[in-house]
Amino acid sequence: MPVLSARRVAFDVLHLVERQGAYADLALDAALQRGALDPRDRALATELVYGVLRQRGRLDFALARCCRQSLARLEPDALLLLRLGAYQLLALDRVPASAAVNETVSLARRLGLERVTGFLNGVLRALSRSQEDIPWPRREKEPRAYLEHTLSLPDWLAERWLAELGDEAFPFAEALLRPAPFSLRVNTLKTNRETVLAALAEAGHDASPTVFAPEGVTVTARGQGPLPGGEEGWFQVQDEASMLIPHLVAPRPGERILDACAAPGGKTTQLAALADNSAAILALDLYPQRLRLVTEGPKRLGCTGIETRSCDLTRPPDFLAPGSFDNVLVDAPS
């Protein structure tokens, strides 16, 4: 197994996200398990993946000022490498500019992209020299451009939020640029929050209970070792806001529940846990490859009573009888 660099791991994960629609968190976890990185490189790979995804609009605005070609016409892998380099230049003070440029060019060579190394070198060096002079849109004069290019909102969302929220759109967008807390949902079928918090502390991780979700834990600082209980199914990585939705469903033993857009399955397994493995849950998703994620989670977490099926719910399903479920959860993708 070759030892990969943090930047190569980040590139591979982002490539999967862009080209295959992979879930960033799952693709990153799988890559880190294969990559044999030390803790510092694991942290850098994680920072690069989530940082490039969060700040893509901002990165593209800066790169467009230094690139003679339209970004839309660039080879996709070359654009991805530019974004990786630009994020290091604009957002990571601890990475010297020379390292950001040189490591990006070296990565291109290792990927067999020798033909674009001169181009990458030129664009990133130009960005390094001019980054203090980038004409970022100003909120007062160009509110929509400010949301898109300074705060990295997609254009359609910037337009919608300005229309619906007015000035409140700006703090919302600023919050989206900040890293999300790293949260775990404790699997109450196997353990409890107090036990998991104690195990995390003993293993050298700093963690605290989530504010709203009763089974949530926020890891504020990770130690050097793995999180205890992962293989035993003690927890599921899950955002706290996501943990609140199954509580609104309030599943009870004996109920029949439809999870209409289930992948990757965090809320599906939480529904099973809340019903103490005594509900019948049908988990649907449009994409069979993503539905496989829903089948893997219950095995690790010890959830039962979950059936999966691929289905396009934009059309009436012929295999579901009207009124055949006690509860329906629809967390539809935007």
Side-chain angles (χ1 to χ4, degrees):
M1 178 70 68
V3 177
L4 301 179
S5 70
R7 292 172 176 84
R8 174 60 188 269
V9 168
F11 175 89
D12 289 345
V13 172
L14 291 167
H15 182 92
L16 288 172
V17 172
E18 295 283 347
R19 296 291 191 87
Q20 300 182 24
Y23 291 100
D25 57 341
L26 299 176
L28 178 60
D29 286 345
L32 292 177
Q33 291 176 15
R34 296 191 303 266
L37 300 178
D38 65 33
R40 291 179 61 185
D41 281 342
R42 289 172 65 93
L44 177 58
T46 301
E47 173 73 26
L48 290 174
V49 168
Y50 291 127
V52 168
L53 290 174
R54 281 195 307 269
Q55 297 197 23
R56 190 169 73 171
R58 182 179 178 85
L59 300 176
D60 285 0
F61 181 84
L63 287 168
R65 269 69 197 154
C66 304
C67 183
R68 295 179 181 179
Q69 301 180 51
S70 166
L71 298 186
R73 300 182 62 185
L74 295 180
E75 185 176 344
D77 285 347
L79 179 55
L80 179 49
L81 286 165
L82 282 177
R83 287 170 175 161
L84 277 169
Y87 182 76
Q88 294 169 71
L89 289 170
L90 298 178
L92 299 185
D93 294 337
R94 65 184 182 277
V95 176
S98 58
V101 176
N102 294 337
E103 289 295 332
T104 303
V105 172
S106 296
L107 176 56
R109 291 196 178 97
R110 294 195 295 273
L111 292 167
L113 296 172
E114 181 73 34
R115 62 188 178 277
V116 300
T117 53
F119 167 73
L120 297 176
N121 184 68
V123 173
L124 292 177
R125 288 193 182 281
L127 177 59
S128 177
R129 292 192 299 268
S130 64
Q131 59 180 301
E132 299 299 328
D133 302 318
I134 297 172
W136 299 108
R138 297 180 62 181
R139 170 177 167 175
E140 299 79 11
K141 293 185 176 182
E142 303 173 277
R144 179 170 171 178
Y146 178 80
L147 287 173
E148 291 181 35
H149 303 310
T150 305
L151 300 183
S152 291
L153 279 191
D155 55 355
W156 63 270
L157 189 57
E159 180 180 12
R160 179 172 176 177
W161 278 13
L162 277 176
E164 296 182 359
L165 302 175
D167 286 343
E168 291 185 9
F170 301 105
F172 272 110
E174 290 167 359
L176 288 179
L177 274 184
R178 295 194 289 269
F182 181 61
S183 302
L184 310 175
R185 174 178 59 84
V186 173
N187 179 18
T188 54
L189 293 171
K190 292 193 172 185
T191 185
N192 56 61
R193 183 158 67 176
E194 291 70 26
T195 299
V196 171
L197 285 169
L200 288 169
E202 185 176 355
H205 307 283
D206 294 337
S208 59
T210 50
V211 176
F212 301 105
E215 65 271 75
V217 167
T218 299
V219 180
T220 53
R222 297 186 62 164
Q224 294 191 358
L227 299 177
E231 294 184 1
E232 295 82 2
W234 285 8
F235 59 81
Q236 170 74 38
V237 177
Q238 190 170 334
D239 185 76
E240 183 179 9
S242 172
M243 298 179 210
L244 300 177
I245 305 304
H247 285 281
L248 297 177
V249 178
R252 294 178 294 180
E255 288 188 332
R256 182 166 166 78
I257 302 169
L258 175 65
D259 189 353
C261 304
K267 288 187 285 293
T268 309
T269 53
Q270 188 178 0
L271 289 170
L274 289 173
D276 199 25
N277 266 347
S278 298
I281 302 171
L282 176 59
L284 305 180
D285 202 84
L286 174 60
Y287 301 103
Q289 67 272 25
R290 295 189 175 186
L291 201 59
R292 285 197 292 270
L293 301 172
V294 186
T295 65
E296 294 168 359
K299 295 177 183 177
R300 184 178 65 86
L301 298 173
C303 299
T304 60
I306 298 174
E307 176 188 354
T308 62
R309 184 162 180 170
S310 178
C311 177
D312 182 359
L313 282 180
T314 60
R315 293 183 288 271
D318 56 9
F319 59 91
L320 298 180
S324 56
F325 292 94
D326 299 289
N327 276 302
V328 177
L329 171 58
V330 182
D331 185 7
S334 57

